[in-house]
């Protein structure tokens, strides 16, 4: 059995009274915001909701650390380490400099049509947790099946960039020396600078923006990056999130790691006090296109929690006249990114990034 949902699913409003607030605001009525005079109001325009969006991003940075400023935007200095002919595309192992003293290993896949003069859109491909081969898994160099979205998108004519995630496999940056407050913020910054690199390539067509796709770790990393960079116009998150209230029954210790957010340790035993949640982060993506794969048998993230989040975020998409832009898929699988859902996400990426013909 497979359930596919455009926008939401299960009527969750009956549960709203049991869901604790977020920074004193409703977690389920995301239109609610604090006005300048301190009173709570419901946003009726996107300009009014901007108050809550700014507060949500500030709350995220309380835990993940501040987004780096322009002083961190050093020269990219890209270097090609090796190149492999993969048939319809070329795969390059590269390094680019995301900040002073910080080189990021990444795979760049370039369709041969792009190298011969046809500019093409680009997609940032963020890998799942993989401590042996890291980003190799998304370009088809080993690991579990259904993770090779960087190579599959390259075969479909997209330029893809797959950076390593910090403190996994061979990418072991010294966060303290680089003045990075968390592995999560380091990854966000590396990804943003990866978009800068894609934007600099003469064969990349960025006129309609970029896409981002990721599974598991890459699933929430895609969301985190997109909320800070609106050049990303289509976001695909597979098995990437649920509410902190629901994650492992409220046991958020898994988030308390140097490669994620060490400050989460201050909220262990009280997930309701974490100052941000995916309720707001998904809403912050509106009006862009969002595709979420939330399997029915995922042991990491609960699909019912994903539906509650979608139910709460949908009014924000509607406020932006983009109610159809939030899509949720529920395959009958475990923590996986099955073919049907993966291919459906590719079709969405193509519709958004490729101009109509």
């Amino acid at each position: 059995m497979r359930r596919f949902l455009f926008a939401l699913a299960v009527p969750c409003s009956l549960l709203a009274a049991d869901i604790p607030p977020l920074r004193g605001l409703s977690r389920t009525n995301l239109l609610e915001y604090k006005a300048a005079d301190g009173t709570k109001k419901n946003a009726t325009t996107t300009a009014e909701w901007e108050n809550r969006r700014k507060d949500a991003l500030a709350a995220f940075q309380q835990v993940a650390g501040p987004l780096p400023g322009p002083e961190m935007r050093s020269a990219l200095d890209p270097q090609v380490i090796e190149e492999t002919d993969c048939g319809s595309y070329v795969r390059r192992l590269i390094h680019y400099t995301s900040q002073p003293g910080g080189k990021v290993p990444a795979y760049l896949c370039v369709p041969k049509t792009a190298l011969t003069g046809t500019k093409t859109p680009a997609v940032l491909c963020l890998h799942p947790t993989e401590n042996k081969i890291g980003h190799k898994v998304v370009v088809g160099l080993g690991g579990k099946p259904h993770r090779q979205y960087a190579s599959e998108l390259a075969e479909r004519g997209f330029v893809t960039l797959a950076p390593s995630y910090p403190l996994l496999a061979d990418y072991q940056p010294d966060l303290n020396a680089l003045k990075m407050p968390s592995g999560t913020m380091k990854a966000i910054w590396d990804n943003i600078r990866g978009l800068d690199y894609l934007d600099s390539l003469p064969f990349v067509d960025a006129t309609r923006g970029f896409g981002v796709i990721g599974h598991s770790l890459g699933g929430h990393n895609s969301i985190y990056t997109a909320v800070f960079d609106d050049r990303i116009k289509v976001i695909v998150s597979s098995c990437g999130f649920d509410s902190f209230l629901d994650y492992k029954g409220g046991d958020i210790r898994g988030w308390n790691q140097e490669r994620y957010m060490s400050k989460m340790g201050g909220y262990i035993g009280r997930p309701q006090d974490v100052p941000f949640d995916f309720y707001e982060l998904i809403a912050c993506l509106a009006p862009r296109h969002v595709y979420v794969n939330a399997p029915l048998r995922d042991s990491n993230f609960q699909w019912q929690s994903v539906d509650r989040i979608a139910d709460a975020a949908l009014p924000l998409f509607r406020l932006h006249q983009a109610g159809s832009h939030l899509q949720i898929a529920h395959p009958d699988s475990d923590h996986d990114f099955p073919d049907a859902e993966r291919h459906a996400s590719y079709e969405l990426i193509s519709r958004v990034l490729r101009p109509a013909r």
Side-chain angles (χ1 to χ4, degrees):
M1 182 185 96
R2 177 175 283 114
R3 298 174 60 213
F4 186 78
L5 311 170
F6 283 84
L8 81 154
V10 177
C12 302
S13 58
L14 295 178
L15 304 173
D18 301 323
I19 298 177
L22 182 62
R23 304 187 315 278
L25 294 170
S26 173
R27 203 177 298 247
T28 53
N29 175 19
L30 294 175
L31 294 172
E32 187 175 74
Y33 72 97
K34 287 182 182 176
D37 60 5
T39 61
K40 295 179 184 178
K41 296 182 178 179
N42 274 358
T44 58
T45 67
T46 57
E48 288 176 342
W49 198 76
E50 184 68 12
N51 293 281
R52 182 156 185 176
R53 190 191 71 84
K54 289 179 178 178
D55 286 348
L57 296 189
F60 177 86
Q61 291 173 86
Q62 287 178 32
V63 182
L67 183 72
E71 71 282 356
M72 286 286 196
R73 255 190 168 92
S74 58
L76 288 163
D77 189 25
Q79 301 172 8
V80 177
I81 310 302
E82 65 181 37
E83 182 170 303
T84 304
D85 188 326
C86 297
S88 63
Y89 67 95
V90 172
R91 184 183 67 235
R92 296 171 179 169
L93 176 62
I94 68 164
H95 289 168
Y96 63 88
T97 302
S98 66
Q99 62 182 105
K103 287 187 177 295
V104 183
Y107 279 106
L108 176 71
C109 296
V110 187
K112 290 180 179 178
T113 52
L115 294 174
T116 56
T118 303
K119 295 183 71 167
T120 190
V123 182
L124 190 64
C125 299
L126 307 181
H127 68 84
T129 302
E130 174 50 71
N131 208 19
K132 292 183 179 180
I133 62 173
H135 60 157
K136 291 180 179 179
V137 70
V138 297
V139 294
L141 295 176
K144 294 181 179 180
H146 305 159
R147 309 290 189 269
Q148 64 279 18
Y149 32 87
S151 56
E152 289 181 338
L153 283 164
E155 289 170 350
R156 285 161 171 77
F158 292 93
V159 173
T160 64
L161 182 70
S164 291
Y165 188 91
L167 305 182
L168 283 176
D170 295 331
Y171 183 37
Q172 298 292 320
D174 185 333
L175 300 185
N176 289 328
L178 293 171
K179 299 180 180 179
M180 278 292 170
S182 68
T184 292
M185 187 52 71
K186 172 61 174 164
I188 292 169
W189 187 246
D190 287 353
N191 298 338
I192 289 173
R193 296 293 282 140
L195 293 178
D196 291 344
Y197 171 61
L198 288 171
D199 213 7
S200 74
L201 296 173
F203 46 77
V204 167
D205 178 6
T207 56
R208 295 169 67 90
F210 298 100
V212 65
I213 184 172
H215 174 74
S216 195
L217 166 67
H220 46 259
N221 199 12
S222 294
I223 295 166
Y224 294 158
T225 304
V227 297
F228 285 104
D229 198 318
D230 60 9
R231 290 177 295 179
I232 297 174
K233 302 303 182 185
V234 54
I235 301 98
V236 176
S237 177
S238 170
C239 300
F241 69 94
D242 60 5
S243 170
F244 294 128
L245 301 174
D246 302 311
Y247 178 78
K248 305 293 184 183
D251 183 355
I252 59 173
R253 287 177 295 178
W255 293 97
N256 178 32
Q257 301 180 46
E258 183 185 11
R259 69 186 182 208
Y260 303 140
M261 295 168 278
S262 296
K263 285 188 177 180
M264 288 291 272
Y267 300 99
I268 291 174
R270 48 192 189 93
Q272 71 278 6
D273 293 333
V274 178
F276 78 95
D277 201 352
F278 286 96
Y279 280 91
E280 286 182 324
L281 295 184
I282 296 300
C284 285
L285 298 177
R288 293 172 284 174
H289 292 263
V290 181
Y291 182 99
V292 177
N293 173 51
L296 298 176
R297 293 184 281 111
D298 187 351
S299 60
N300 287 40
F301 302 105
Q302 297 182 31
W303 69 266
Q304 299 95 330
S305 181
V306 172
D307 277 359
R308 285 190 284 273
I309 290 168
D311 187 45
L314 186 57
L316 268 301
F317 283 80
R318 289 174 173 158
L319 190 66
H320 285 84
Q321 305 299 311
S324 65
H325 289 191
L326 179 58
Q327 303 181 27
I328 314 293
H330 290 309
D332 188 5
S333 73
D334 57 7
H335 188 75
D336 198 8
F337 201 175
D339 289 344
E341 286 66 40
R342 212 169 60 256
H343 296 165
S345 76
Y346 300 163
E347 291 172 8
L348 175 64
I349 289 170
S350 184
R351 289 199 303 273
V352 174
L353 298 186
R354 285 192 169 128
R357 293 172 182 169

